[in-house]
Amino acid sequence: MSDQSCVYIKKEWDIVAARQMGRDIATQVGFKTVDQARIATAISELARNIYLYAGAGKICFEAIETVQKKGITIKATDEGPGISDLAQVMEDGYSTSGGLGAGLPGVKRLMDEFDIISKSGEGTTIESTKWLR
């Protein structure tokens, strides 16, 4: 099973659609309720960042399976302004939106793997994976 599905994030309602699609795929992979909630929370944070800071982008999901394990990869991509100070946005409690500041460090904690690439003026790509336990 290696199939990719995407939700384009242009308006606030798209965040809900992305959450729902991600939760559905996580359920199909076999994640239990608690991990489904973790995955949905990570998706919300990533989609909200696209909506607030980039204006538009997409969240893609891929159910992945290796010989040893199964999981879900979430890839958030935008062509926004990029993140000028990656170290700062990865600090716990840092928030530019006045939110709770769970932000990207929260996504990193909720998922098992986390990778971020951002170029000023070119956008940001964040890829995170949760493995089935």
Side-chain angles (χ1 to χ4, degrees), residues 80-116:
I83 299 168
S84 58
D85 189 344
L86 279 176
Q88 186 178 38
V89 300
M90 291 309 295
E91 285 175 17
D92 275 322
Y94 176 76
S95 173
T96 54
S97 67
L100 296 174
L104 296 179
V107 172
K108 187 175 182 178
R109 274 193 305 276
L110 290 165
M111 303 296 282
D112 296 319
E113 294 176 18
F114 179 91
D115 188 44
I116 182 168

Side-chain angles (χ1 to χ4, degrees), residues 54-103:
K58 67 181 177 176
I59 305 261
C60 294
F61 307 96
E62 188 174 7
I64 48 178
E65 192 168 347
T66 68
V67 176
Q68 296 94 1
K69 53 191 176 178
K70 289 166 54 167
I72 184 172
T73 295
I74 302 160
K75 188 173 184 178
T77 311
D78 69 61
E79 293 175 4
I83 299 168
S84 58
D85 189 344
L86 279 176
Q88 186 178 38
V89 300
M90 291 309 295
E91 285 175 17
D92 275 322
Y94 176 76
S95 173
T96 54
S97 67
L100 296 174

Side-chain angles (χ1 to χ4, degrees), residues 15-88:
I15 298 168
V16 177
R19 252 182 92 97
Q20 191 56 56
M21 182 183 284
R23 192 182 271 269
D24 290 347
I25 293 169
T27 303
Q28 290 165 19
V29 170
F31 285 100
K32 302 288 182 233
T33 311
V34 172
D35 277 334
Q36 288 173 28
R38 287 184 178 117
I39 291 163
T41 301
I43 293 163
S44 287
E45 195 61 51
L46 294 169
R48 195 170 110 71
N49 282 352
I50 290 171
Y51 175 72
L52 286 176
Y53 304 116
K58 67 181 177 176
I59 305 261
C60 294
F61 307 96
E62 188 174 7
I64 48 178
E65 192 168 347
T66 68
V67 176
Q68 296 94 1
K69 53 191 176 178
K70 289 166 54 167
I72 184 172
T73 295
I74 302 160
K75 188 173 184 178
T77 311
D78 69 61
E79 293 175 4
I83 299 168
S84 58
D85 189 344
L86 279 176
Q88 186 178 38

